[in-house]
Amino acid sequence: MTAFLARRTATLGITVLLASFVVFLIPYVTPGDPVRKIIRSRVAGEVIDDSVAQALAADLGLQDPLMMQYLRWLGRLLGGDMGLSYASRTPVAEQVLPALAVTLSLVVMTLGAAAAVSVVLGVVAALQEGRAADRVITTVTQAFIAVPEYWLAPVLVLVFALNLSLLPSAGWSGPSSAVLPVAVLALRPTSYFTSAVREGVLDALGAEHVVAARARGLGRVRTLRRHVLPNGLLPLTTLVAVWFAGLLGGSVIVEVVFAIPGMGRLLYDAVRNSDIPLAQGGVVVVVGLAVLLTTAADLVHGLLNPRLRGRRA
């Protein structure tokens, strides 16, 4: 167990460091003078002449080896200093944190809805394996995968916001404004979650201890609750964490269509305005959280599944 935790913690640290180094290199791999880009992110002001730029570059240590600059940048980042936004001239952290709170709310609601629906559908499909209910659930949920978000979002806005006037078409002002974005984002994870629950429950139903429990006369509902669901829902923990990480930065289309001030919208605006400090801050926060969540899910999965822990340790 100790070896398993040490290995996962070491992997987490290495992954975060590699990701942060890639993000640090953004000014060096995009068009333009990287020194002037970095100076713009550290010093407020619209015009910087050559003599001032050289002096600032020396003061900021931009003539030092790249690795030394990276370590200084990482130190500032760990202290919460992400630089100044090119567009607003305000600290990047002041824009990233509110946007992150909005996206986290959206993602939690999306995965909560997807998990609740998929548990019901997956269990029903497994218990009705090969019958009409199983075939209908499997076919419909698989069809969800083929529905693109950029098509579904405008259709839902047209029907429920503009024609029926039941829900807001845009904004982030209350529970009703979250209904359509959550519906769009939840479609694909619901499909994958339902398939995973169905397979997990089928595997659990065939386990020897479950068959023995049924042979001893344990009721179907009690067998399902005590022996089938704890193991059958195990794959869902990893899937939810993976989708959580993906939706943190993958909700761009939905946030843009519904005018939601989240991380997806922030990164979209940063790229559109060539706002490198804002893009760096947003990406490093999203990647860091994604790696942390995925590792946490892996740890939980390993703790709940001794066979998996043994193989990985």
Side-chain angles (χ1 to χ4, degrees):
M1 180 63 196
T2 303
F4 174 74
L5 289 174
R7 183 175 175 176
R8 297 306 301 152
T9 303
T11 303
L12 169 66
I14 293 171
T15 305
V16 170
L17 279 177
L18 289 175
S20 67
F21 187 65
V22 172
V23 173
F24 164 75
L25 292 177
I26 289 178
Y28 295 91
V29 297
T30 51
D33 183 0
V35 172
R36 281 185 173 273
K37 292 177 190 173
I38 297 172
I39 290 174
R40 276 185 71 190
S41 72
R42 309 303 309 167
V43 181
E46 297 299 327
V47 179
I48 302 173
D49 61 35
D50 290 341
S51 60
V52 173
Q54 291 176 4
L56 287 172
D59 287 343
L60 294 173
L62 300 180
Q63 297 165 344
D64 293 337
L66 196 62
M67 188 55 65
M68 190 178 295
Q69 294 183 47
Y70 164 68
L71 292 176
R72 274 200 300 267
W73 176 82
L74 185 62
R76 288 195 299 269
L77 187 67
L78 293 174
D81 181 4
M82 301 179 186
L84 296 175
S85 164
Y86 287 170
S88 66
R89 307 309 303 173
T90 58
V92 168
E94 293 182 3
Q95 298 182 56
V96 169
L97 295 181
L100 180 63
V102 171
T103 296
L104 285 176
S105 301
L106 178 63
V107 172
V108 167
M109 286 188 282
T110 296
L111 293 179
V117 172
S118 63
V119 167
V120 174
L121 294 180
V123 170
V124 170
L127 296 178
Q128 299 293 317
E129 183 187 16
R131 300 177 183 173
D134 180 26
R135 289 196 294 270
V136 169
I137 290 172
T138 301
T139 303
V140 171
T141 53
Q142 289 299 311
F144 288 169
I145 299 175
V147 180
E149 294 169 351
Y150 62 82
W151 177 85
L152 181 62
V155 169
L156 292 183
V157 169
L158 186 64
V159 174
F160 293 99
L162 301 182
N163 287 344
L164 300 178
S165 299
L166 295 176
L167 296 166
S169 61
W172 190 251
S173 55
S176 60
S177 65
V179 174
L180 293 182
V182 167
V184 174
L185 283 176
L187 207 59
R188 287 174 187 262
T190 298
S191 175
Y192 290 105
F193 292 177
T194 300
S195 178
V197 170
R198 178 184 179 277
E199 295 304 316
V201 170
L202 283 176
D203 288 344
L205 285 171
E208 291 182 1
H209 70 283
V210 174
V211 175
R214 292 286 293 162
R216 290 197 303 270
L218 192 66
R220 189 177 188 182
V221 174
R222 294 181 67 185
T223 303
L224 194 67
R225 190 177 67 246
R226 287 187 178 183
H227 299 290
V228 175
L229 290 182
N231 292 322
L233 298 184
L234 200 55
L236 195 58
T237 58
T238 303
L239 266 182
V240 168
V242 170
W243 273 93
F244 203 122
L247 289 175
L248 279 177
S251 56
V252 177
I253 293 175
V254 169
E255 291 187 4
V256 170
V257 170
F258 291 101
I260 297 173
M263 289 300 294
R265 178 66 182 269
L266 180 138
L267 290 173
Y268 171 79
D269 290 339
V271 172
R272 191 181 58 178
N273 297 326
S274 299
D275 196 337
I276 291 175
L278 191 58
Q280 282 182 311
V283 171
V284 80
V285 168
V286 168
V287 171
L289 270 178
V291 174
L292 187 63
L293 287 168
T294 305
T295 303
D298 206 15
L299 287 173
V300 171
H301 202 179
L303 291 171
L304 296 177
N305 189 340
R307 290 177 299 175
L308 182 63
R309 188 172 68 230
R311 287 201 302 269
R312 292 183 178 179

